[in-house]
Amino acid sequence: MKKSRIGFITYMAMVIVALMCGQRASAQHTVTLTGGTGASYARFYPSEETKWMWGCENFGIAWRYYSEKPRFVGAVGVDLEYMERGFNMGWTYTSEWVDNGDDKKEIRHYKFYSRKVNTLMLPLVWQPHFYLARNRLRVFIEAALVFSYNLSSSYSYENDERPGGDYEWKVPRDNRFGYGLSGGAGFALLFGQVEVGFKAKYNFGYSDILKNRNKYYSNSTDGYENPFWYTPLRSPIDNLSFSLTVGWRFNKRGFNEWFVVRPKREKRLDNFNFSEQIGQTGGGSGSGSGGRSSGSSSSRHR
C-alpha cells in the first residue's frame, strides 16, 4: 500500500476518534465509513478516442448533521474521500478497410494509453431523505459541491508497448486542484445506532486535469507520460462510484424528527345543504311580509 494511502487512513481514524469524543449523546449527527469501486472517464476537447476506466477504488468518511427541529427533510454534511480517477485514451491505431457497397469503410483498432489519478475529494453535501418501515429504512438522494486535490498519478500503455510508471507532475502542464458537482442516491438500514447501506453517485468535473494549450502547448520536452502532442483545450474527468456504507448515530434515542407528532387535519362533519339554506331564507322573508300586512290592517281598522 502506498504511503499516501496509509497517511490518509491514519488521518481518517483520527477524525473519527475526535468526532466520537467531542459529540454529546443527544447530538443529531452520524459518522459513516464508505468504500467501493467504480469507473472514470475524461471529456476531451478537441475530442479523442476514449473509453471508461473501470476498477477505480474509493473509500472515505462522511459526516451528516440532522436538524434538531424538523424545518426541512434532510441533512447537511461533508465527506472526505480517497478516489481513484483516470481515463483511457487511444494514442495510436491501425486501420482496416472493409467493403461497404460501392465504397470502403475504415475501421480503426486503437491502442490505449491509461492514466490513473489518486485524488482527495471534499464534497459539501445536502441530503434530502425519508424514512420507511417504522424508521428502520432511510432512502435518500444527495447533491454536492465537490473540491479535489490530486495526490499522485501513474500511467501505462496497452500491452506494455511503451514504458509506464509514476506520472511526473509539472506546474505549467498539470492541475493539482479541481472542482465539480455530484449527485447520487442510496439507502441505509438502521439497526439501533448502527446504519448499513449502499449508495451510488456521479461526479461531474468542471475543472481540467491538464492546463489548456494557452499555458502548455506541446509535449516536445516530455517523456512517455504525456501522449498528447498538443495539450487539449478541455480535459475534465467524471466519476461513477458505488459504495457500501457503515455508520454510527450518536443519538441513542433516535432523531428528533421521528418523534414529531404532526396535527391531523380535522374533517368538517357538517355538510352544506343548499336547499335547506334557501328554504330558511325564503321562510324568514315571508314572515316579515306577513307581519307588515297585519300591522297595516290593524292601522286601517283603528
Side-chain angles (χ1 to χ4, degrees):
M1 183 176 287
K2 296 181 179 180
K3 292 183 179 180
S4 60
R5 296 190 183 185
I6 296 175
F8 181 71
I9 294 173
T10 304
Y11 178 77
M12 288 198 305
M14 294 173 61
V15 172
I16 295 173
V17 173
L19 287 172
M20 294 183 67
C21 293
Q23 300 298 329
R24 299 175 301 162
S26 60
Q28 304 289 296
H29 301 266
T30 61
V31 171
T32 303
L33 296 179
T34 65
T37 186
S40 188
Y41 181 83
R43 293 178 283 112
F44 295 116
Y45 178 78
S47 62
E48 300 280 355
E49 183 69 23
T50 55
K51 65 179 181 179
W52 284 89
M53 173 181 285
W54 289 91
C56 296
E57 299 177 358
N58 69 84
F59 57 88
I61 183 172
W63 167 78
R64 297 290 181 270
Y65 170 74
Y66 297 82
S67 175
E68 295 186 3
K69 297 181 180 180
R71 296 178 180 177
F72 61 92
V73 177
V76 294
V78 62
D79 298 348
L80 186 61
E81 296 179 293
Y82 167 86
M83 181 172 289
E84 291 180 340
R85 307 189 298 160
F87 58 87
N88 293 311
M89 190 273 293
W91 66 279
T92 188
Y93 65 89
T94 56
S95 296
E96 178 184 356
W97 296 90
V98 297
D99 291 332
N100 185 20
D102 297 334
D103 300 324
K104 286 188 176 182
K105 181 180 179 181
E106 180 187 16
I107 299 178
R108 294 180 176 181
H109 301 281
Y110 283 90
K111 295 180 180 179
F112 286 88
Y113 160 92
S114 300
R115 184 180 168 199
K116 184 169 287 188
V117 184
N118 304 314
T119 306
L120 195 63
M121 312 287 285
L122 185 71
L124 306 179
V125 183
W126 175 49
Q127 186 192 84
H129 66 260
F130 60 91
Y131 289 95
L132 297 172
R134 297 183 178 180
N135 298 326
R136 292 186 176 90
L137 172 64
R138 180 194 298 120
V139 179
F140 62 85
I141 60 174
E142 286 187 348
L145 173 63
V146 183
F147 300 96
S148 62
Y149 178 77
N150 299 314
L151 299 169
S152 60
S153 183
S154 60
Y155 70 97
S156 63
Y157 285 84
E158 189 175 0
N159 299 326
D160 296 326
E161 293 201 6
R162 288 185 174 184
D166 293 334
Y167 183 87
E168 181 185 357
W169 291 85
K170 292 184 178 181
V171 174
R173 179 186 64 194
D174 304 302
N175 282 321
R176 287 278 191 178
F177 293 93
Y179 59 92
L181 298 175
S182 75
F187 67 89
L189 299 172
L190 280 62
F191 303 96
Q193 290 178 256
V194 178
E195 301 183 4
V196 180
F198 171 84
K199 71 175 181 178
K201 67 177 181 179
Y202 190 91
N203 290 313
F204 187 84
Y206 277 94
S207 60
D208 299 319
I209 191 68
L210 296 168
K211 296 180 180 179
N212 66 47
R213 63 183 59 172
N214 295 326
K215 297 181 179 179
Y216 194 84
Y217 189 64
S218 73
N219 69 351
S220 58
T221 60
D222 293 343
Y224 289 133
E225 79 277 4
N226 183 12
F228 299 96
W229 183 252
Y230 298 111
T231 305
L233 292 174
R234 292 300 316 275
S235 55
I237 295 181
D238 296 353
N239 296 87
L240 176 64
S241 62
F242 306 95
S243 304
L244 298 176
T245 64
V246 179
W248 175 263
R249 185 184 73 246
F250 290 96
N251 192 320
K252 295 182 179 180
R253 177 173 176 262
F255 296 113
N256 290 346
E257 62 180 291
W258 293 357
F259 307 102
V260 174
V261 179
R262 293 177 174 81
K264 296 182 179 180
R265 294 182 179 180
E266 297 182 359
K267 296 183 178 179
R268 291 177 59 94
L269 300 178
D270 297 333
N271 295 324
F272 183 78
N273 191 321
F274 185 77
S275 300
E276 182 179 344
Q277 293 297 325
I278 291 295
Q280 291 178 358
T281 304
S285 301
S287 299
S289 301
R292 288 193 298 270
S293 300
S294 176
S296 301
S297 301
S298 302
S299 299
R300 287 194 299 269
H301 182 70
R302 288 195 299 266

